[in-house]
Amino acid sequence: MITTKSTIRTEVIYDDEMKNKYLIRKEWDKNKKKALVIMKNAGQADEIVQDQTTMYVINNLSKLEYGVVDIVNLFPSIEGDETKESAVENLKCIQEAITRVDDVIIAVGKGAETNKKAVERLNMILAILLDKKANILQLEANFGRKGFHPLYPALKHQWKLVPYDAATI
């Protein structure tokens, strides 16, 4: 009989009112690669509760030999409208996260391309990533299309990471 044990360390960064969630960090093996995953909106996950998106992110990154993930979003608001202050704080948090990871995975999904504010925010983040010379990746489906969110049915159980192409947004 074999018993295995593991601990996933979780850290979540919120604003003082807990209305904006800037980052979720999950660490299960700090000796493996680290990823920053950028999605569109803050979900329901916290330091204990996992939503489906966070679960699929962890499962797939683990299969790809990552041991740490920082999850951030274009829009950090959990409740209420975004403020200028929360938008600035979100970008600061993303800039800090970039310095700690090996790869940045853009996973905002196809819906972002029709949202002018989402495209604007993504372009701001991409400018920061390019300035920092980050290794930018995205999810590709087995039929060749790129630019998906982790909940896309064809990708939920197995990710294929490919270099990011700005033309997919």
Side-chain angles (χ1 to χ4, degrees), residues 54-123:
T54 305
M55 179 189 72
Y56 288 127
V57 166
I58 292 166
N59 290 353
N60 282 294
L61 287 176
S62 176
K63 288 177 193 175
L64 293 169
E65 297 299 316
Y66 288 86
V68 179
V69 65
D70 283 356
I71 298 172
V72 297
N73 296 285
L74 300 180
F75 304 105
S77 180
I78 303 169
E79 53 179 76
D81 294 327
E82 182 178 64
T83 64
K84 186 175 179 105
E85 185 181 271
S86 69
V88 168
E89 198 57 44
N90 192 47
L91 286 174
K92 274 196 232 170
C93 203
I94 291 170
Q95 280 184 296
E96 285 177 28
I98 292 165
T99 65
R100 293 188 299 262
V101 300
D102 301 297
D103 298 319
V104 177
I105 301 165
I106 306 287
V108 295
K110 289 295 186 188
E113 69 218 16
T114 57
N115 180 329
K116 186 179 171 195
K117 203 170 176 183
V119 170
E120 210 173 90
R121 185 70 49 87
L122 182 57
N123 286 334

